[in-house]
Amino acid sequence: MAANFIVETSARHLHLCKEHLEILFGAGAELTPKKDLSQPGQFACAERVEVKGPKKSLPGVTVLGPLRPVTQVEISATDARAIGLNAPIRESGDIKGSAKCVIVGPCGEVEIEEGVIVAKRHIHLTPEDAKELGVNDKDIVSVKFDTADRSGVLGDVVCRVSPTFARAMHIDTDESNAIAANAQTMGVIV
Amino acid sequence: MAANFIVETSARHLHLCKEHLEILFGAGAELTPKKDLSQPGQFACAERVEVKGPKKSLPGVTVLGPLRPVTQVEISATDARAIGLNAPIRESGDIKGSAKCVIVGPCGEVEIEEGVIVAKRHIHLTPEDAKELGVNDKDIVSVKFDTADRSGVLGDVVCRVSPTFARAMHIDTDESNAIAANAQTMGVIV
């Protein structure tokens, strides 16, 4: 039996820099942690914003914390099409030339010239996990899912290895629906 | 090189029975063909309706023709969640106990007690195609896609064989986004 890992579905969300947080939520605003995420130190916040594309808006998009040096919006390809954006599939942090949008908060709005991406599917691993699974940081692998109605193998999955991570695969809502994933879905590298 | 086939993405749509067409679009209403689809005799219509779930609505959903004996609404799992429905993954026609919704047209509305499904991925094949691919009607297969950013293999794909079909695989928008399919994407049975 190969070593497996939990598969988590990332709903649309965004990360804010301090400057944008203060424009959107007011001078001196701070994030309000609401729920811890699987990755240590990461949390969902009470703060929500509207993400506006040329065609439509996504209301109530969750802000994740902590703050980051650069604002980044992660949406599904379904979302991108719905609001009229051509968002590229990218790893987190790789936003050069990605899509732009307007972010609207209760106290103001920000137009970002880039930063909207569709997240590339990935597995968070500690160095110990990576060793057990026989992979290295930045390896591209395929992962198999034995779900009830929509089994499959997703390729082009990036392995990300850091002692600060917890072992979990992250996919977006389109990918989650395409394999009919639920909270118990496990993946295995093939 | 194995025999392959084009992969087509089905956007959300619905099929209407005559009774519901007349409630939604008026007594004596007929479908207005707008665009032929790949399957012979099937067409997208100028008619559009709103599909209402308990949480939200999907506006401008395309009606496909010709009329059918029973109304059936096909949406993605993303759509189903957005409008608050728990729509099962089913083959077309297998709607017993599926989700309900309200359909709103310019002349009236209809509440259907069942008929909303997330379509099970499938391949339309003629008997000649099936022979070439080595499959039979109702076989469940896995299909591989070599797309640029999101390659993969989708399992639980139903083969549907009929002399009235044209060779094409149909997936929904979630599945299409999960494999980053485009108009040139081809699939191959593995």
Side-chain angles (χ1 to χ4, degrees):
Chain A
M1 172 66 197
N4 60 10
F5 37 84
I6 190 82
V7 177
E8 297 179 330
T9 301
S10 299
R12 65 178 80 107
H13 65 270
L14 76 167
H15 306 276
L16 291 174
C17 66
K18 185 164 171 38
E19 181 199 347
H20 291 166
L21 174 71
E22 295 204 356
I23 296 171
L24 297 169
F25 291 94
E30 295 193 8
L31 292 174
T32 313
K34 196 177 156 193
K35 191 189 166 200
D36 282 338
L37 302 178
S38 68
Q39 298 307 307
Q42 305 295 306
F43 52 89
C45 302
E47 286 74 19
R48 285 166 179 264
V49 297
E50 181 185 344
V51 172
K52 279 173 74 171
K55 268 178 67 177
K56 247 172 79 173
S57 284
L58 298 167
V61 180
T62 301
V63 178
L64 299 192
L67 291 172
R68 290 200 181 179
V70 181
T71 293
Q72 176 175 297
V73 180
E74 297 177 44
I75 60 179
S76 70
T78 292
D79 288 337
R81 188 186 176 97
I83 67 174
L85 292 180
N86 189 9
I89 297 166
R90 293 282 184 83
E91 281 191 68
S92 184
D94 177 19
I95 61 164
K96 192 162 173 59
S98 59
K100 61 182 175 181
C101 76
V102 175
I103 305 170
V104 184
C107 299
E109 62 178 63
V110 172
E111 179 164 6
I112 56 171
E113 286 304 313
E114 60 184 19
V116 185
I117 63 171
V118 175
K120 193 171 174 76
R121 44 204 184 212
H122 56 276
I123 315 172
H124 291 278
L125 298 165
T126 65
E128 293 70 32
D129 294 324
K131 198 172 168 193
E132 183 191 342
L133 272 61
V135 297
N136 294 301
D137 190 42
K138 300 195 193 307
D139 276 0
I140 305 292
V141 299
S142 291
V143 176
K144 188 176 183 204
F145 312 90
D146 285 322
T147 45
D149 290 310
R150 288 180 158 184
S151 62
V153 175
L154 297 180
D156 293 308
V157 180
V158 192
C159 296
R160 293 169 57 189
V161 182
S162 163
T164 67
F165 287 159
R167 177 166 166 162
M169 178 170 184
H170 285 176
I171 57 177
D172 71 13
T173 47
D174 288 338
E175 294 165 327
S176 180
N177 288 329
I179 61 163
N182 61 35
Q184 281 73 49
T185 298
M186 303 294 286
V188 61
I189 293 174
V190 287
Chain B
M1 172 67 197
N4 59 11
F5 37 83
I6 191 81
V7 177
E8 297 179 330
T9 301
S10 299
R12 66 178 78 109
H13 64 269
L14 75 167
H15 306 275
L16 290 174
C17 66
K18 185 164 171 37
E19 180 197 347
H20 291 165
L21 174 72
E22 296 203 356
I23 296 172
L24 297 169
F25 292 93
E30 295 193 8
L31 293 174
T32 314
K34 196 177 157 193
K35 191 189 165 201
D36 283 339
L37 302 177
S38 68
Q39 297 308 306
Q42 305 295 306
F43 52 89
C45 303
E47 286 74 19
R48 286 167 179 264
V49 297
E50 181 186 345
V51 172
K52 280 172 75 170
K55 267 179 67 179
K56 246 172 81 173
S57 283
L58 299 167
V61 180
T62 302
V63 177
L64 299 192
L67 292 171
R68 289 199 181 180
V70 180
T71 292
Q72 176 175 298
V73 180
E74 297 178 44
I75 60 179
S76 69
T78 292
D79 288 338
R81 189 186 175 96
I83 67 174
L85 292 180
N86 188 10
I89 297 167
R90 294 281 184 84
E91 280 191 69
S92 183
D94 176 19
I95 61 164
K96 192 162 174 60
S98 59
K100 60 182 176 181
C101 76
V102 175
I103 305 170
V104 184
C107 298
E109 62 178 65
V110 172
E111 180 164 6
I112 56 171
E113 287 303 313
E114 60 184 19
V116 186
I117 63 171
V118 174
K120 193 172 175 76
R121 44 204 184 214
H122 57 275
I123 315 171
H124 291 278
L125 298 165
T126 65
E128 294 70 32
D129 294 324
K131 198 173 167 192
E132 184 192 341
L133 272 62
V135 296
N136 294 301
D137 189 43
K138 300 194 192 308
D139 276 1
I140 305 293
V141 299
S142 291
V143 176
K144 187 176 183 204
F145 312 90
D146 285 322
T147 45
D149 291 310
R150 288 181 157 183
S151 63
V153 175
L154 297 180
D156 293 307
V157 179
V158 192
C159 296
R160 291 169 55 190
V161 182
S162 162
T164 68
F165 287 160
R167 177 165 164 162
M169 178 170 185
H170 285 175
I171 57 177
D172 71 14
T173 47
D174 288 338
E175 294 165 326
S176 181
N177 288 328
I179 60 163
N182 61 36
Q184 282 73 49
T185 298
M186 304 293 287
V188 60
I189 293 174
V190 288

